Structure formats: C-alpha cells, structure tokens
Amino acid sequence: MSARRARSRALAADLGLLTLAAAFALPLAWVVLSALDPKADVGVKAPDGLTLDHFDAVLTDEITFTPMLNSLLLCGGGTLLTVVSAALAAYPLSRYSSRLNRPFMLTILFATSLPITAIMVPVYALFVRVDLIDTMEGTIFFFAASQLPFAIWLMKNFMDGVPKELEEAAWTDGASPLQSLVRIVLPLMGPGVAVVTVFCFVMMWGNFFVPFMLLLSPDQMPAAVSINDFFGSKGAIVYGQLAAFSLIYSTPVILLYVLIARRLGGGFALGGAVKG
C-alpha cells in the first residue's frame, strides 16, 4: 500500500508539473507559431504556411530599431547604476556592525513592497519641477531608484557569504576598503552580481508604466511602450506582427541570461580559502 501511495503521489506531482509547464509553453508556442503564420489569430494552431512577412513589416526604425535602442539605453543605464549603487550600499551593511543595520534593512524590505503606481503622481510632479520630465537620464535615475531597495537586499545577502578574513589580509597589505570591495569581494560574489544584474534588467525591460508616464516624446519611447501600438483603437490587433515584435523584444533578455548563465551556476570561487 505504501509503494502504491508513493507512486500515486509521484504521478500527481508529475501531472501538476506538466500542467504548469503547459501553462507556460502555450503562450510561447503562440508567439513562435503566429510570427510565422500568414493568417495568425488569437488561437494556438499550426501555421497555414510559413512566412517572414511579419518580421519584414516590423523591422523598421520607427517600429523596432529606435524603441529597442531606447530600451537598451534605459535598462542598461538603469541596471548599471543600480548594481554599482547597491554594491556600495551593501558593503558597509555587510562588513560593519551597527544598531541601525537591522532597521535600515527592514525599511529597505518595506520599500520593495510599495506599488510603483502609488508613487508615480508625486514623482511626475517632482520631475516636472526639476525639469527631468521627458528625459532619458531622468527615467534612468527613477528606474535605478525603484530597483535599488531589493538590489541592496540581495547584494548584502550575497556579500555576507564572502569571508571577511580575505579582506583583512588585503588591508594588511595596504588596500583600502574600496579596493578590497572591487578587487576581492565583487569578483568572489560573481553569481550574486549576476543575479542582481539579471533581476534588475528584466524588471526594467518589461516596465511599461514608468516610461509611459515620464517620457512624452515618441522618439524616446522604449519597446515596452511601443508594443502598445499593435493594439488598434477599435480592437483590431495585427497578431502576426505583434508576435514577431514580441520575439524580437524578448531577444536581449534571453541573450543576457545566456551570457551570464555560467556565473549564475557558480559558487564563491575562494569561499573556503581561509579554512584549514
């Protein structure tokens, strides 16, 4: 009876995982098939022939290239600013004890739960007053500020795994705290930096509301906003072109993950250097 019950539980678990996989696979299948289907519609079906006309239609400066470049500038700049700021903020929290560390970390954790829509009205008013509205640099700053709390939390937890004794040896040789951070801590926590980088970039890449509110010029809109143009004013949607654009839009995120996938699976290279 126990063996039969174990097999039943294993079968139920497998069915649950297959159902979950199908829930993720069906939208992806629709995107791929519809991008090649000359008569694409809302349903998932085998293509009525194969065509690249949808890609030809969207591969223009106005529809794809300019919005994608804007997205890369916004998300790349915001991610770089977030990772650098998070590393500098997490270092003293990880390496120096203070009675304010715990309240500060709890405040950061609370900040991650604030809905972005709840603060956009005062942010918009502030950006208008300081003349940052409709500017790429202003949107980059806000992207970084919105992702910074959780990035600091992640970075600090990864930084705690790097032995402090390695830094103390560097301090004995005359290295400054900044030098030990750049030359010892960050290289050893490569997987952590990779996780924070991917998380920040993906969250910014798919963000529609922030650039929609802070950018006004059509030539500055990122791809996350321009994809809305495929939805017609009267419900008419060009499904094939939408699917083709979605594939192109997903490419940078996939490439980023592939490029740093090795670091995501690694460990702290010298985590045991002080043992023995």
Side-chain angles (χ1 to χ4, degrees), residues 20-70:
L20 185 62
F24 282 96
L26 284 177
L28 296 177
W30 178 87
V31 169
V32 174
L33 295 176
S34 297
L36 301 173
D37 189 352
K39 298 180 181 179
D41 55 27
V42 72
V44 180
K45 61 184 181 64
D48 297 329
L50 298 177
T51 181
L52 297 178
D53 291 343
H54 300 314
F55 290 95
D56 292 336
V58 301
L59 288 176
T60 64
D61 290 338
E62 181 181 358
I63 297 177
T64 298
F65 296 124
T66 299
M68 289 290 287
L69 178 59
N70 292 336

Side-chain angles (χ1 to χ4, degrees), residues 11-21:
L11 179 60
D14 291 340
L15 290 176
L17 291 175
L18 288 175
T19 302
L20 185 62

Side-chain angles (χ1 to χ4, degrees), residues 54-190:
H54 300 314
F55 290 95
D56 292 336
V58 301
L59 288 176
T60 64
D61 290 338
E62 181 181 358
I63 297 177
T64 298
F65 296 124
T66 299
M68 289 290 287
L69 178 59
N70 292 336
S71 292
L72 290 173
L73 292 175
L74 288 173
C75 301
T79 300
L80 178 62
L81 184 59
T82 302
V83 172
V84 172
S85 301
L88 295 176
Y91 183 75
L93 292 171
S94 175
R95 290 304 189 249
Y96 302 104
S97 299
S98 171
R99 65 178 63 183
L100 298 178
N101 281 10
R102 180 175 174 80
F104 183 77
M105 293 299 295
L106 292 177
T107 302
I108 288 177
L109 185 61
F110 170 76
T112 62
S113 64
L114 292 175
I116 199 72
T117 53
I119 62 175
M120 283 309 300
V121 172
V123 166
Y124 182 88
L126 173 64
F127 272 45
V128 171
R129 177 162 296 187
V130 299
D131 201 23
L132 284 177
I133 198 70
D134 197 28
T135 62
M136 298 289 284
E137 56 270 20
T139 307
I140 288 174
F141 289 149
F142 185 77
F143 263 149
S146 63
Q147 298 301 321
L148 192 56
F150 198 69
I152 294 176
W153 184 274
L154 283 177
M155 194 77 76
K156 191 263 182 186
N157 288 334
F158 282 114
M159 203 170 287
D160 288 343
V162 179
K164 189 176 180 180
E165 290 80 0
L166 297 176
E167 288 185 85
E168 293 173 347
W171 294 341
T172 303
D173 293 335
S176 66
L178 181 59
Q179 289 175 326
S180 65
L181 170 64
V182 174
R183 298 182 180 181
I184 297 177
V185 178
L186 291 180
L188 293 181
M189 54 176 290

Side-chain angles (χ1 to χ4, degrees), residues 207-227:
N207 194 306
F208 168 86
F209 194 62
V210 170
F212 180 76
M213 289 290 294
L214 299 182
L215 295 174
L216 307 178
S217 303
D219 59 341
Q220 295 192 100
M221 290 297 178
V225 177
S226 66
I227 196 173

Side-chain angles (χ1 to χ4, degrees), residues 75-76 79-80 82-84 151 154-155 190-204 256 260 264:
C75 301
T79 300
L80 178 62
T82 302
V83 172
V84 172
L154 283 177
M155 194 77 76
V193 176
V195 168
V196 175
T197 300
V198 171
F199 173 81
C200 293
F201 188 86
V202 170
M203 294 299 292
M204 296 178 192
L256 176 65
I260 65 176
L264 287 174

